[in-house]
Structures are given as C-alpha cells and as structure tokens.
Amino acid sequence: MSIKNNLIEIEKNICLACERSKRNRNEVALVAVSKNNPPEKIKIAYDNGLRIFGENRVQELIAKIDLLPDDIEWHMIGHLQRNKVKYIVGRVSLIHSVDSFKLAETISKEAIKKGIIQDILIEINVSGEESKHGIASKEAYELVREVSYLPGVRIKGLMTIAPLSEDSEANRPHFAKLKHLSVDIPNKNIDNNNIGDLKVLSMGMTGDYAVAIEEGASLIRLGTGVFK
Ligand SMILES: *Cc1c(COP(=O)(O)O)cnc(C)c1O
C-alpha cells in the first residue's frame, strides 16, 4: 500500500465513524505518528495534505522539525522527561503527555522564559494498566486543577493510550471514560479558574480509531495506518 492509498482508506473510515456517531468530519483531526519514519516518507504524507505530525522522542522530533516544512504542526505524544522540556517548548504546538505537576511546572517555566504559553494535554491512564504512563483517573481532577494555575501552560484537553488489543471494541469503555472525565472535570471546577472546557480528546490509534471517534475523539494518533 502507498501512503496515498492509506490516507484514502483512513479518510473513508473517519467519515463513516463520524456518520455513525452523528459528528461533523471537521471535529476530528488526524495526527500522523511519524516516529521511526524518515523525513522523506513524512514529506510524502505532507504532500498528500497532512499537516499534523506526532513524535514520541525529543531528539528525533527536533531533528525532523529542522528538515521539514515550517507549516507542519508538531505534536509531542510520548513520555517526556523534565530535562528535555527545554528543547521542545515553543517548537511543538501541543504536548499530549503531561502526567505530573512537576512536568507541567517545568514546561510552564520554560514557556515563560520564551515568552509563550504552551498548549498541553493531560495524559490519563483510564484503563489502569500498570505499564502505562499517565495519571490515574481518580487523580485527574486534582492534577488539572493544580496545573491550571500555572501561567505558562494552557490545558486544551485530555489524552489516553488505550491497551493494545485485537478487538477494538474492548477499548470503547476506556474512550468513553476519557470523554466522561473531560465533561466531569470542568463541571467540578469550584475555583472558577482557567481550566477551560477540555475540548480536545486525543485517543485512538490504528487499531481502534473508529471506535475512539464514535466515543468523542478529536485527535486520533495513527502511525502504522498511515506509514505501513
Ligand atoms: C506509536 C504511537 C501511536 C501510533 O500507533 P499505531 O498503532 O502505529 O497507530 C499513537 N500514540 C502513541 C502515544 C504512540 O507512541
């Protein structure tokens, strides 16, 4: 399969999932996860219309930013160490993987130093799988509340990495739970600070993005599906 054909297939599936769930196609954006793929392949995806690319390693990400067109929106989707924050703040439009106050604080300080506000998502381990990064669901409200007071970051929404599964239906409850938290947390917001509406929901990968869209995903992260 070519990247072009992959994208035609993905677009069809996105449209069908939107129809099934009575959503607008423009509520869902595709993040092409380009990790492990060389810049030449990313350029082909770019030439086929993609503008949002996600990477999970800082070094690989910054190397690619310098080699590819300026109008790409880069997203950091992988686990982020605090000592690497300085390399990506202001260079990526969204960091999906913020799962601790200390990490958010480091991002905020770096953003202020650079005179910007960095958009972030809070990563939640909705499935409770032990091997996963992300904060536990029951701690999510408190983390969002604390992070919302940091002046250098803006929380746009929530992200989760669902378990790998042969059966995409198995992840439906996890996606539904993330959606539920995105409504519940702002409703609980008694401090009336700047939590905002947590509109962005980053969930769904190649194996389960149709289900994720049906449950409210606004960003789907596809690697294999795009680049296979
Ligand atoms: C690799 C990766 C993806 C893409 O996974 P595929 O199954 O190849 O679509 C999505 N999200 C994260 C955080 C990843 O690391």
Side-chain angles (χ1 to χ4, degrees):
M1 288 272 268
S2 65
I3 288 175
K4 185 179 179 160
N5 286 336
N6 295 342
L7 291 175
I8 291 170
E9 177 79 21
I10 290 164
E11 183 58 31
K12 198 174 69 190
N13 291 334
I14 294 174
C15 288
L16 288 171
C18 286
E19 269 174 40
R20 284 196 297 274
S21 49
K22 305 203 164 37
R23 301 184 65 199
N24 275 324
R25 168 65 186 88
N26 62 17
E27 292 171 30
V28 182
L30 170 60
V31 179
V33 178
S34 47
K35 65 182 183 205
N36 305 325
N37 283 287
E40 305 77 59
K41 276 184 93 171
I42 301 175
K43 185 60 169 45
I44 295 173
Y46 176 92
D47 289 337
N48 279 281
L50 295 191
R51 289 296 179 274
I52 311 175
F53 292 89
E55 290 280 338
N56 68 342
R57 283 197 300 267
V58 168
Q59 218 174 352
E60 190 176 339
L61 171 60
I62 52 181
K64 285 172 175 174
I65 293 178
D66 290 335
L67 292 170
L68 286 151
D70 286 339
D71 62 342
I72 288 180
E73 242 189 67
W74 291 98
H75 289 190
M76 175 60 187
I77 62 168
H79 180 64
L80 180 58
Q81 288 168 311
R82 279 189 288 152
N83 61 358
K84 304 248 173 90
V85 161
K86 57 180 179 288
Y87 301 114
I88 64 162
V89 166
R91 303 201 75 192
V92 297
S93 52
L94 187 64
I95 301 173
H96 291 226
S97 43
V98 178
D99 63 357
S100 74
F101 180 74
K102 280 188 152 181
L103 175 59
E105 189 177 43
T106 306
I107 295 170
S108 178
K109 279 186 185 151
E110 190 60 31
I112 289 166
K113 211 191 281 177
K114 290 179 172 148
I116 60 149
I117 294 180
Q118 177 69 58
D119 285 342
I120 62 168
L121 303 179
I122 300 295
E123 179 177 354
I124 303 181
N125 179 357
V126 282
S127 70
E129 257 198 331
E130 253 174 48
S131 59
K132 289 268 184 294
H133 293 293
I135 185 117
S137 303
K138 62 179 185 338
E139 291 161 31
Y141 171 68
E142 200 46 40
L143 179 61
V144 170
R145 204 182 70 81
E146 285 173 5
V147 172
S148 68
Y149 284 101
L150 294 170
V153 295
R154 190 187 292 119
I155 307 172
K156 303 290 283 185
L158 307 177
M159 178 271 220
T160 197
I161 303 176
L164 276 182
S165 169
E166 295 283 295
D167 171 20
S168 61
E169 282 298 329
N171 283 334
R172 189 180 293 278
H174 303 313
F175 298 141
K177 187 161 180 189
L178 196 71
K179 170 73 185 185
H180 179 78
L181 285 170
S182 77
V183 176
D184 204 38
I185 291 172
N187 280 343
K188 265 197 205 162
N189 177 16
I190 44 170
D191 311 2
N192 197 28
N193 63 350
N194 59 343
I195 283 185
D197 56 12
L198 303 182
K199 251 202 173 116
V200 178
L201 283 184
S202 168
M203 58 187 194
M205 319 203 305
T206 297
D208 54 21
Y209 65 96
V211 173
I213 292 169
E214 289 170 13
E215 296 302 325
S218 57
L219 293 177
I220 50 172
R221 309 180 307 266
L222 271 58
T224 338
V226 173
F227 293 101
K228 68 185 171 193

